[in-house]
Amino acid sequence: MKKYFISAFLVLISISSWAQVGTVKGRVIDSEGQPIGFANIILKNTTHGTSSDGQGYFSLYNLPEGSQALHVTAIGYESIEQGAVISANKETSLEITLVESITQLQTVEILGRTEKSYANTTSFLATKTSTRLEDIPQSIGYVTKELALDQAAFRVNDVVKNISGVNQFSFYNDISIRGFRVRGQQNSGNLVNGMRAFTSFWKQQLIPHIERVEVIKGPASALFGNASPGGTINRVTKKPLKEQRQSISATVGSFNTFRTLGDFTGPMSKDKTLLYRLNLGYENSGSFRDLQFDKNLIIAPSFSFLPNERTRLNFDIVYQGSEGRLDRGHAVFGDGDLFSVPVTRALNASNDFLKEESINATISLRHQFSENISLNSIYMRSSYVEDLLEHRTANAFATLGDGSMDPEQVEMRVFIRKRDWNNDNFNNYFNFDFETGVLSHKLLVGYDYFQQLLEPGGSQLQARGYLTADRSSMINSFNPDNATAYALDSDGNPVPNVPHFDLTDPTANRLRDMSDYIYQTNLFPQSRLRTHGIYLQNQITLGDLQLLLGLRQEYFYDELNYKTENEEFVTQSALIPRLGMVYSLSSRVNVYATYTEGYQPQTASIINDPNAGGPFDPLTSNLIEIGTKTNWFDGRLNATLAFYRLVQQGELYSANDPSNPDLQVQIGEEEAKGIELDIIGRITENWSVIASYSYNDAVITESDDESEVGRQKPNAPEHTGNIWTKYVIDQGMFKGIGIGLGANFVTERFGSIVRTDNPPLFPGYELVDAAIYYQVDKFQIQVNVNNIFDKTHWVGGYDFIRAFPGAPRNVMTTVSYTF
């Protein structure tokens, strides 16, 4: 009987327990409504839990009746506690939304960006921590991949017009920021994922594998060492996502353009600890310029390994191969009439070529030792190969026998060149989060090392100048007072080593017989430069006030004639401070102020080049900036207004010496003062906009040539502006149709040669672009029309022999499919 009562009592307890439990079923999604797979959902203060499946769905059974709390976590997202009211013997439905983490989880950008608009909320460039843009005491401009796709942009130069204070300097990988130049083949101002990368100077950088292009305005030397004073351009590569996404697209259009792209990403394991992404791009296009073409191939695989919430590892490679010709610009008649020669005319011969190849390989590790201490370690190997044959100008018109110039013929020279660089970039930094009383600290302590090596064999054959009387050698320039030393034609004019380019000859681009040219050899001896940087940064928070204190000690070592008996060694160093403040007036408005200094050492190849006229001092700069950052429409639309004063000492300019085109002069001081406004985001869910305006008064303030003082800096327009807006109809019979419309303007600019009484002046321009889109499910077709009114314009220029016209009206049609 006793056993019977015990058994019956246990059955009653079981029935009672069963009657007091319930079930929760639901789905975990992100802020864009996309499912989050393998999120952990745990009943608070217990071990009872489950994980969401690949589509974000989950089920929890046998939960106690009443109000309960679920702890929800997922890699890359902020953890939350979700309340749930459990009813006995009933099923409760939940939809749980997680927000992408803006803590230091992605300090090295291991995971892909999940935002899908023109706006971006965080930056890793400006502080080397994941910081909200509104909390950074400096102006940060950017263009996301969504905007680039909407504008059918393929290169960095295509998108910089969207950022205030940034414009093209030339055809090349050559950008002006606040009136100061950032160019390729230098390690100051071009970054990939925050690391210095060696890039081509001649070809604009491609962006089909790029998540966003960022520009930190002003010198960033306190974090990156050698940096351009105007700003630093960072290209963030696309990273793996936790959900499966694939897309392919093809573009055809004007100038025989054909492009095709592929983007594939997702998990490689069921638990989403191993992710992949593969970006592919191919371009075969012509140009509105004679003989110009581009063949480009991009292969960019990336892998992320996330074994636990404390450790993240990323590996990515970007291979780029390019073939084309080097376009040195538009030459016009000697009177400087920009319309005297068609903008289509290039000065190449048809046997010219330019072949380039670059590889960037990066491995990055983040480990969280504790809740408050983490380590980031990043290594990038960057290589670049250049193989060039070009007929180009000697930066002068042809010289006649009496010493005068022929305004219709351009003096030419030939380069045959091969060079090969390898870069190593190693960056390590610790983050410490701690509190001292009422102050919260985010302390960054780091060390980085950079090495750039010009490999053996770098050399150039150059044919230039005029033939000697016996035609056995050449002289760089013609001196009419010593005419008997030169070979003369029947008209008494000196015979050029390389035939002049006749701007009136429609067949001047023909094949050139180079066998009779007399060459001299220019060697680029193996060289190595190295930098070591130790830096500290503390982001301090006291209520609504945030302070940023930074300091870097930089050591620069440059070796010319590396590993030879003639090795030359140059050492430079600098202590670089940075101060910043942000104050929150409200949840929508922050004001900020910053002071930072910049440092750019002159490389040994410039310092010791006898043709350049050195030695030269390093470039130094400083920035004072104040501004405000605001957000509207529930945070969908962001705006930045900045006021700045930027000063630099020591810029090098060409001396404009016809007898020595390599001769440089060092300007004493330059100053840029201005105002910038950037607006970006969405007014409504289907109405996106980006707009910018810049007033930039960039002038030379000190020079040994008094006539230059007060002169506008080269290719530094006083006013630039841009607006682009896209509206998508989301209901009714026209659902899926979108319209894009934009305009940008640039005011007149001087060319880059300043050592002349009348520097060339390039006119301002205003351009209008438009696009129409149609999307059905996962298929989209878009048509972009650029320069609708076919405005003839010049994006920049050195002089009237090297001007850089912009493209006439052109149409691009893109078909894309996402699956």
Side-chain angles (χ1 to χ4, degrees), residues 146-435:
E146 288 78 15
L147 176 58
L149 289 170
D150 283 349
Q151 294 183 344
F154 200 71
R155 292 168 171 78
V156 169
N157 296 40
D158 297 334
V159 299
V160 294
K161 65 184 179 183
N162 296 288
I163 303 173
S164 66
V166 186
N167 58 278
Q168 294 191 63
F169 197 98
S170 69
F171 278 155
Y172 313 136
N173 178 21
D174 194 10
I175 304 295
S176 177
I177 305 176
R178 291 181 171 175
F180 295 87
R181 197 173 179 184
V182 175
R183 50 187 166 177
Q185 289 192 4
Q186 293 188 348
N187 59 43
S188 56
N190 279 291
L191 304 177
V192 174
N193 298 323
M195 305 289 280
R196 297 184 200 175
F198 198 92
T199 63
S200 167
F201 173 61
W202 313 117
K203 292 296 183 179
Q204 301 171 16
Q205 296 302 287
L206 306 179
I207 58 174
H209 60 297
I210 297 300
E211 179 68 40
R212 66 183 179 275
V213 177
E214 298 177 316
V215 176
I216 179 171
K217 310 287 187 65
S221 297
L223 279 181
F224 301 104
N226 184 6
S228 172
T232 298
I233 300 174
N234 183 42
R235 287 166 289 136
V236 180
T237 58
K238 294 176 181 177
K239 299 296 191 299
L241 299 174
K242 295 182 293 297
E243 62 268 9
Q244 201 80 24
R245 292 186 192 175
Q246 295 86 29
S247 66
I248 56 174
S249 68
T251 299
V252 294
S254 300
F255 320 130
N256 298 315
T257 296
F258 172 72
R259 300 168 186 159
T260 183
L261 306 175
D263 186 355
F264 312 94
T265 187
M268 298 180 69
S269 60
K270 287 187 177 181
D271 60 359
K272 295 191 176 182
T273 59
L274 183 61
L275 313 175
Y276 83 96
R277 192 159 192 166
L278 176 62
N279 279 274
L280 303 172
Y282 174 75
E283 177 188 37
N284 189 342
S285 68
S287 170
F288 71 98
R289 302 269 296 157
D290 296 340
L291 294 187
Q292 303 307 312
F293 72 95
D294 270 307
K295 290 183 180 179
N296 295 298
L297 175 65
I298 297 174
I299 303 174
S302 179
F303 303 92
S304 295
F305 179 49
L306 299 86
N308 54 60
E309 292 188 357
R310 291 183 176 270
T311 305
R312 314 284 185 263
L313 182 67
N314 196 82
F315 177 68
D316 64 80
I317 299 176
V318 178
Y319 167 84
Q320 296 186 62
S322 174
E323 293 185 22
R325 291 190 180 95
L326 176 50
D327 188 352
R328 290 282 183 171
H330 176 217
V332 300
F333 293 160
D335 60 2
D337 179 1
L338 287 170
F339 295 89
S340 62
V341 175
V343 295
T344 57
R345 180 66 54 84
L347 304 187
N348 296 97
S350 57
N351 43 330
D352 291 350
F353 63 82
L354 171 61
K355 298 178 182 179
E356 297 175 300
E357 186 176 84
S358 67
I359 300 176
N360 290 332
T362 307
I363 185 168
S364 54
L365 169 70
R366 174 177 171 80
H367 182 70
Q368 190 88 30
F369 292 99
S370 68
E371 188 174 331
N372 300 319
I373 302 175
S374 62
L375 166 69
N376 289 278
S377 183
I378 316 163
Y379 170 74
M380 184 172 76
R381 175 76 167 182
S382 175
S383 67
Y384 169 79
V385 177
E386 175 187 87
D387 185 5
L388 171 70
L389 164 61
E390 64 164 335
H391 285 74
R392 58 154 298 181
T393 76
N395 306 338
F397 288 99
T399 304
L400 300 177
D402 60 1
S404 63
M405 299 295 175
D406 184 340
E408 296 183 354
Q409 296 200 70
V410 178
E411 184 179 325
M412 300 294 289
R413 51 181 163 166
V414 167
F415 286 168
I416 303 173
R417 183 170 65 230
K418 289 191 177 185
R419 291 184 292 185
D420 186 352
W421 282 273
N422 282 299
N423 287 5
D424 293 284
N425 202 338
F426 191 42
N427 201 341
N428 299 273
Y429 52 94
F430 286 90
N431 296 98
F432 302 91
D433 293 341
F434 60 95
E435 296 182 354

Side-chain angles (χ1 to χ4, degrees), residues 138 188 218-232 552 554 573-578 595-601 618-624 646-649:
Q138 208 158 342
S188 56
S221 297
L223 279 181
F224 301 104
N226 184 6
S228 172
T232 298
R552 179 186 180 94
E554 176 86 355
S573 64
L575 185 65
I576 307 165
R578 181 188 187 190
Y595 172 81
T596 186
E597 295 183 359
Y599 179 77
Q600 263 187 289
L619 283 73
T620 58
S621 57
N622 64 79
L623 169 73
I624 298 173
L646 177 59
V647 178
Q648 176 182 256
Q649 293 85 23

